């Protein structure tokens, strides 16, 4: 068994071992006079406690070391308490707590690698020396940031102590030499600039591991780009071979997966009220990242997810292709090891090397759903033309937690969902949800006899939509500065441009860019619903608007025939149907126009636009009543920008062509189409070439796309005999997941997806 | 709107210059097909076939007229069809269609909201067909694909077929024809001129056996392929390998000899082993499957056939 096989086996066995959650009962409030300290310093002290006390472990055969503490998107995090009970109660009013850390945005790794903590500390000292006496906020920030960097340097030292013991005990001279090299690496990074490829990988991992052990789920950015100089140096100097590099990459990538838990019984729930909150009015939907519905949804969606995405390939700052050896190796190792994380986004464009496109095609044909595809030509254009991001930075875009587009290391990022079917509910039902009666929009009274034409109908709908966008953005703006009061991020801020320069925490407008994306959620069902109203109520006058509203409000009671008519006889988005796509285009033009209006209104934040459910498409559907496209109450949505489940009957070319009727550069935060495909024949080269042709067409037509190769028969077998399909990966909507680890509900939902036969 | 987007609209999605209103009967247009010709293709299935092969995989394509199809699993027994059907009582009582007496009026299709009753076959003009085909231009260009006319038998609607091919070639779309070859010589030849790739079925070299199973002898079929292989410079011979009919080594031997001696431009021979997919389809149109659905070709037999054909210097592929 070679090292990769060994590490893979060790990893997968670990999936079935209960992992201990560490640190939830810790506090720093027992330290003297702690409550006198500013909150940001208390956060730094709590961070320091984690650095000093978190468990350390080195596993057999691994080349990159460091264990993150246990946590999960779906099951929460742990972190020492640093706020008093009174403070906690105060911030709870704004749906905030010390765990209200949004993650998603990442350090500027190119600089972390070339400067190291040490140099950042020197910069801070320089800045501190220049501060005026009254610049308390800045001083607090710098001192807290300095404290975290110093504390973070302790972590490698603790590993060195452990390694000293292991080296002494090790009987195998080969492994002993490896451990000594790892120990040497730990003396260098991340405190000092990395020199070798192994140092660079270890440096990134230590930083990442620590962020993830201290509440902040960060992605990785373009790691093939910032790691490349170190790889190239080593290769040129003859220090490592390409195979050595792959081993190092494999060992590195495995680290991102060690927190995975397969068994529900092994999962501890540490979710609390403030988790994922951006702060705001607790009554506003966008305030909370709501994971409150049935646990099996939650478990399937996000139990083994930490927003660890990364990008490879794409163009450089000058617009030239920047695909390199690492772009290939990373994807190769992810798939060879059958890993979920990081979720790799491959950036492609019209000048991507044929070899890279062909390689991606081949990998996607083998299943596993990695990589996700992003079209540089559309997205960069959108970032520059629509958002006004400078070209060189736009060309450096990467994916954040799942796939949202951002400028890595320079951005404070978050988003809100605009649940477009809730706007429809509000319109039909006096502003109230059909599921639970809560307020989901404006109450404008009974409209059922007040909208004589489709134009009137559409206007009334857009009124609700604009209200939803206004609510999300107003809420965000109003409470933007609240988070820093309880959950500042001095460690991350010290590594995000331009926080140190400005002397501001990331949560205090320290970064170069602030982006808030509004994501259309439930898009396919809205478009199909608008089509249905237009056709049946206004064009063909088959039924009245009151009757249509009534059918939806009663969840089609006694109206199965009408529902079937809506399902079977009307135009649907995703089929290159001009009638449906005209409504699609109209809606998104209007949506994007309004987002741009907001962009003009506020100058300090960029408002991005996209289409997203992420992996939460069952939950979003679960919170919405029936819709006039034929969907029943609480039925799951399709993921992201995918056509409604099972309604894309004209094949994948028609899906792409439907979306291409929009100017997709306007959806500059991303709008993935998620395709499930199968192959009729086992002819690897032919299959690859078809995939290649499809991907090249995507580069002309699309914005972002995921492709999971798995057929229904395999999924059924996996459901029956999960032990034989442990490593079967599917892409849900943001993250990849091991299919057999999903709950039955989630599995069944996944299996309903259209299977496009390649 | 991006530049690229504009280019696409300008060059590839403009409406046809001239309308061709000649009509034909189509039974399906299938986009993103990858099994009948190179690359990503759109398949246009024409309705109507002169042969009656009992193993036919698309039995709903045989009849040249539109006909009723019934998807029993989608039927909710709402009985809306009964009210509009001249012989609706039978369905009301038996929950089955009285196929023998069905007048093919298609009234029930619009009454059915569940998609259980459909009309198989629709009339389309040449322009309408081409307008669907051209939508996937980007994909053809990037994958070396194009369009394929299949059937049924396209040559039964020879002029319609020819004009679709002509229009597609004018747009730079690669054209392929999938055919059984049973058509008058001059008609077949006039179509073949517009074909970039020919996918040609050869079933049996013995005319009597051919007639016994398919309803027609093979003389015309052999004649047409000899001519066509001189006109079309890319030919794939397709051999549906049917146990109990043509799977014997003697026939395959004779076929190999014929292909290698009489034909030119043959890129390869595809062996298509028998499957009974037609069985479930034929029930939907009230027919009965006329071949044994449980038969299958043993892998050794396929390998043997492959070896025989290879011995004539032919490139052989299994499964097309």
């Amino acid at each position: 068994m070679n090292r990769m096989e060994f590490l893979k086996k060790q990893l997968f066995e670990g999936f079935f071992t209960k992992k201990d959650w560490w640190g939830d009962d810790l506090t720093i409030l027992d330290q003297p006079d702690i409550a006198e300290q500013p909150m940001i310093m208390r956060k730094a002290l709590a961070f320091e406690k984690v650095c000093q006390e978190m468990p350390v472990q080195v596993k057999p055969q691994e080349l990159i070391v460091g264990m993150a503490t246990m946590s999960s998107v779906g099951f929460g995090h742990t972190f020492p308490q640093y706020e008093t009970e009174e403070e906690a109660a105060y911030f709870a009013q704004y749906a905030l707590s010390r765990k209200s850390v949004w993650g998603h945005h990442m350090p500027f790794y190119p600089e972390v690698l070339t400067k190291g903590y040490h140099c950042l500390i020197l910069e801070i000292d320089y800045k501190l020396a220049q501060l005026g006496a009254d610049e308390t906020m800045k001083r607090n920030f710098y001192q807290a940031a300095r404290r975290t960097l110093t504390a973070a340097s302790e972590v490698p030292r603790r590993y060195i102590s452990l390694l000293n013991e292991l080296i002494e005990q090790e009987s195998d001279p080969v492994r002993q030499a490896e451990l000594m090299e790892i120990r040497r690496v730990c003396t260098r990074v991340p405190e000092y600039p990395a020199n070798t490829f192994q140092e660079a990988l270890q440096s990134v991992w230590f930083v990442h591991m620590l962020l993830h052990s201290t509440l902040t789920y960060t992605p990785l950015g373009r790691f093939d780009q910032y790691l490349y100089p170190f790889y190239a140096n080593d290769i040129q100097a003859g220090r490592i071979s390409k195979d050595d590099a792959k081993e190092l990459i494999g060992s590195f990538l495995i680290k991102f997966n060690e927190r995975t838990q397969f068994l529900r019984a092994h999962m501890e729930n540490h979710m609390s009220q403030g988790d994922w909150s951006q702060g705001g009015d607790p009554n506003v939907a966008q305030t909370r990242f709501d994971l409150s519905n049935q646990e099996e949804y939650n478990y399937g969606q996000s139990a083994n997810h930490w927003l660890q995405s990364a990008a490879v390939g794409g163009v450089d700052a000058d617009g030239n292709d920047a695909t390199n050896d690492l772009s290939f190796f990373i994807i190769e190792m992810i798939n060879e090891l059958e890993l979920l994380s990081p979720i790799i986004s491959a950036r492609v464009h019209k000048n991507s090397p044929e070899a890279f496109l062909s390689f991606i095609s081949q990998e996607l044909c083998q299943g596993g759903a990695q990589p996700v595809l992003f079209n540089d030509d559309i997205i960069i254009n959108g970032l520059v033309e629509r958002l006004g991001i400078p070209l060189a930075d736009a060309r450096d875009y990467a994916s954040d937690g799942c796939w949202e587009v951002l400028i890595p290391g320079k951005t404070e990022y978050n988003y809100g969902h605009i649940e477009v079917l809730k706007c429809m509910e509000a319109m039909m039902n006096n502003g109230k949800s059909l599921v639970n009666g809560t307020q989901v929009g404006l109450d404008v009274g009974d409209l059922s006899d007040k909208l004589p034409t489709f134009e009137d109908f559409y206007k009334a709908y857009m009124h609700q939509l604009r209200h939803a966008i206004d609510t999300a953005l107003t809420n965000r703006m109003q409470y933007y500065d609240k988070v820093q009061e309880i959950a500042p991020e001095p460690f991350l801020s010290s590594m995000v441009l331009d926080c140190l320069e400005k002397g501001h925490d990331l949560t205090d407008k320290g970064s170069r860019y602030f982006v808030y994306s509004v994501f259309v959620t439930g898009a396919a069902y809205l478009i199909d619903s608008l089509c249905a109203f237009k056709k049946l109520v206004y064009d063909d006058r088959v039924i009245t608007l009151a009757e249509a509203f009534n059918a939806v409000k009663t969840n089609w009671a006694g109206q199965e025939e009408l529902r079937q008519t809506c399902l079977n006889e009307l135009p649907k988005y995703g089929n290159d149907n001009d009638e449906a796509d005209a409504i699609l285009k109209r809606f998104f033009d209007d949506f994007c126009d309004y987002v741009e209006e907001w962009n003009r209104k506020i100058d300090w934040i960029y408002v991005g636009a996209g289409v997203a459910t992420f992996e939460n498409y069952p939950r979003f559907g679960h919170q919405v009543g029936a819709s006039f496209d034929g969907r029943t109450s609480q039925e799951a949505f399709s993921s992201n920008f995918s056509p409604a489940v099972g309604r894309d009957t004209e094949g994948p070319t028609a899906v792409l062509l439907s979306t291409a009727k929009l100017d997709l550069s306007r959806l500059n935060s991303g709008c993935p189409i998620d395709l499930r495909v199968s192959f009729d024949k086992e002819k690897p080269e032919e299959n690859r070439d078809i995939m290649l042709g499809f991907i090249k067409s995507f580069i002309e037509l699309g914005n972002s796309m995921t492709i999971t190769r798995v057929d229904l028969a395999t999924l059924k077998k996996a459901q029956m005999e999960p032990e034989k399909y442990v490593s079967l990966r599917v892409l849900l909507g943001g993250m990849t997941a091991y299919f057999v680890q999903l709950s039955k509900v989630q599995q069944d939902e996944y299996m309903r997806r259209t299977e496009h036969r390649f | 709107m991006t530049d690229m987007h504009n280019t696409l609209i300008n060059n590839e999605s403009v409406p046809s210059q001239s309308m061709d209103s000649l009509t034909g009967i189509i039974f399906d247009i299938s986009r993103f097909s990858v099994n009948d010709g190179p690359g990503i293709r759109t398949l246009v299935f024409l309705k109507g076939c002169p042969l009656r092969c009992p193993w036919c995989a698309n039995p709903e394509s045989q009849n040249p007229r539109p006909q009723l199809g019934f998807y029993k699993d989608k039927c909710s027994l709402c009985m809306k069809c009964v009210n509009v059907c001249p012989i609706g009582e039978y369905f009301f009582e038996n929950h089955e269609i009285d196929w023998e007496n069905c007048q093919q009026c298609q009234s029930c299709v619009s009454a059915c909201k569940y998609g259980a009753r459909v009309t198989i076959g629709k009339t389309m003009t040449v322009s309408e067909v081409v307008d669907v085909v051209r939508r996937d231009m980007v994909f053809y260009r990037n994958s070396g694909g194009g369009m394929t006319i299949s059937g049924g038998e396209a040559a039964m609607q020879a002029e319609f077929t020819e004009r679709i091919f002509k229009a597609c070639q004018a747009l730079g779309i690669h054209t392929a024809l999938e055919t059984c070859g049973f058509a008058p010589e001059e008609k077949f030849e006039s179509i073949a001129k517009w074909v970039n790739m020919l996918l040609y079925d050869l079933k049996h070299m013995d005319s009597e056996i051919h007639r016994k199973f398919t309803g027609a002898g093979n003389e015309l079929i052999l004649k047409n392929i000899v001519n066509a292989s001189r006109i079309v410079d890319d030919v794939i011979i397709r051999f549906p390998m049917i146990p109990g009919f043509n799977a014997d080594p003697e026939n395959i031997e004779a076929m190999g000899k014929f292909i290698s001696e009489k034909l030119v431009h043959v890129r390869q021979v595809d062996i298509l082993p028998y499957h009974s997919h037609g069985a479930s389809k034929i029930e939907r149109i009230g027919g009965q499957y006329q071949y044994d659905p449980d038969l299958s070709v043993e892998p050794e037999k396929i390998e043997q056939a492959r070896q025989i054909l290879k011995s004539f210097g032919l490139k052989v592929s299994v499964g097309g």
Side-chain angles (χ1 to χ4, degrees), chain A residues 561 576 578 653 660 663 700, chain B residues 1 5 31 80 135-136:
Chain A
E561 260 175 56
D576 194 15
D578 292 336
T653 62
D663 177 357
E700 291 187 36
Chain B
M1 189 113 351
H5 201 85
R31 295 167 71 173
K80 282 276 153 54
R135 283 174 174 258
D136 284 355

Side-chain angles (χ1 to χ4, degrees), chain B residues 171-238:
Chain B
L171 291 166
I173 299 174
H174 178 273
T175 60
L177 174 68
E178 190 183 28
T179 175
C180 73
F182 189 74
E185 282 170 80
E186 62 286 359
K187 278 196 180 169
F188 199 81
E189 217 176 290
S190 63
I191 295 174
K193 282 182 199 147
W194 301 100
V195 171
N196 296 123
M197 176 187 257
L198 192 59
L199 301 152
Y200 201 98
D201 260 29
L202 282 185
K203 300 185 180 73
H204 210 292
M205 298 309 291
D206 182 308
S207 190
E208 271 321 298
I209 301 176
H210 199 284
R211 186 186 314 279
K212 192 176 147 206
F213 279 81
T214 71
N218 67 9
E219 291 82 0
L220 202 48
I221 294 170
L222 299 182
K223 232 183 244 175
N224 276 335
I225 185 59
V226 169
N227 287 340
S229 86
R230 279 159 180 78
I231 301 169
V232 182
D233 51 17
D234 194 359
V235 178
I236 291 176
I237 299 296
R238 299 191 134 185

Side-chain angles (χ1 to χ4, degrees), chain A residues 644-656:
Chain A
V645 179
R647 293 184 202 159
D648 43 345
T649 55
E650 290 293 316
T653 62
V655 176
L656 280 188

Side-chain angles (χ1 to χ4, degrees), chain A residues 190-406:
Chain A
E191 199 169 356
Y192 301 101
N195 286 317
T196 67
F197 188 49
Q198 183 168 345
E199 286 174 18
L201 291 168
Q202 183 67 63
S203 184
V204 172
W205 173 250
F206 268 143
V207 171
H208 182 88
M209 170 198 95
L210 206 45
L211 285 162
H212 279 244
S213 302
T214 54
L215 301 174
T216 311
Y217 292 153
T218 46
L220 289 150
R222 303 178 73 186
F223 62 172
D224 64 333
Q225 300 301 309
Y226 58 72
L227 291 170
Y228 185 74
F230 303 95
Y231 160 81
N233 271 346
D234 277 9
I235 291 283
Q236 208 175 7
R239 270 195 292 272
I240 57 169
S241 67
K242 290 189 174 184
D243 284 339
D244 295 336
K246 285 185 192 176
E247 255 196 354
L248 284 165
I249 291 169
S251 187
F252 172 70
L253 295 174
I254 275 184
K255 301 303 292 180
F256 295 84
N257 297 274
E258 287 176 337
R259 286 171 286 179
T260 305
Q261 291 270 242
F262 254 59
L263 304 177
R264 176 65 194 89
H266 286 172
M267 222 55 183
E268 292 178 21
N269 194 356
H270 293 261
M271 281 300 268
S272 59
Q273 277 301 311
D275 271 74
W276 296 111
S277 172
Q278 304 164 28
D281 180 345
N283 297 316
V284 172
Q286 286 85 0
T287 298
R288 277 219 185 87
F289 190 81
D290 178 5
L291 288 161
S292 62
N293 75 325
Q294 291 102 319
E295 207 171 54
E296 66 257 30
Y297 278 139
N298 180 6
Y299 184 54
Q301 285 163 2
S302 41
N304 293 313
H305 194 29
W306 300 267
L307 314 182
Q308 303 177 118
S309 74
V312 300
V315 296
D316 63 16
D318 300 320
N320 299 315
D321 178 67
T323 310
N324 61 41
D325 278 358
L326 298 184
S327 326
F328 287 80
F329 294 169
I330 288 165
I331 294 172
E332 182 186 329
M333 294 315 293
I334 278 277
N335 286 335
E336 186 181 314
L337 295 167
E338 301 183 278
L339 303 176
L340 297 184
S341 285
I343 301 158
I344 310 293
S345 302
R347 288 179 41 179
V348 292
H349 55 96
K350 58 181 180 298
N351 296 321
S352 286
E354 180 82 8
F356 186 57
L357 297 179
S358 182
F359 167 73
I360 289 174
S361 304
Q362 179 190 310
E363 293 291 309
L364 287 171
C365 284
Q366 281 161 17
Q370 299 249 43
V372 172
L373 300 171
F374 278 83
N375 185 358
D376 278 10
D377 298 333
I378 297 276
I379 287 169
I380 293 170
N381 184 31
L383 291 171
V384 174
E385 298 297 326
R386 299 292 173 174
L387 282 191
I389 305 261
L391 182 59
D393 273 352
R395 283 174 170 158
D396 195 38
Y397 82 88
S399 45
D400 91 329
C402 291
W403 48 256
E404 309 92 294
V405 172
L406 51 58

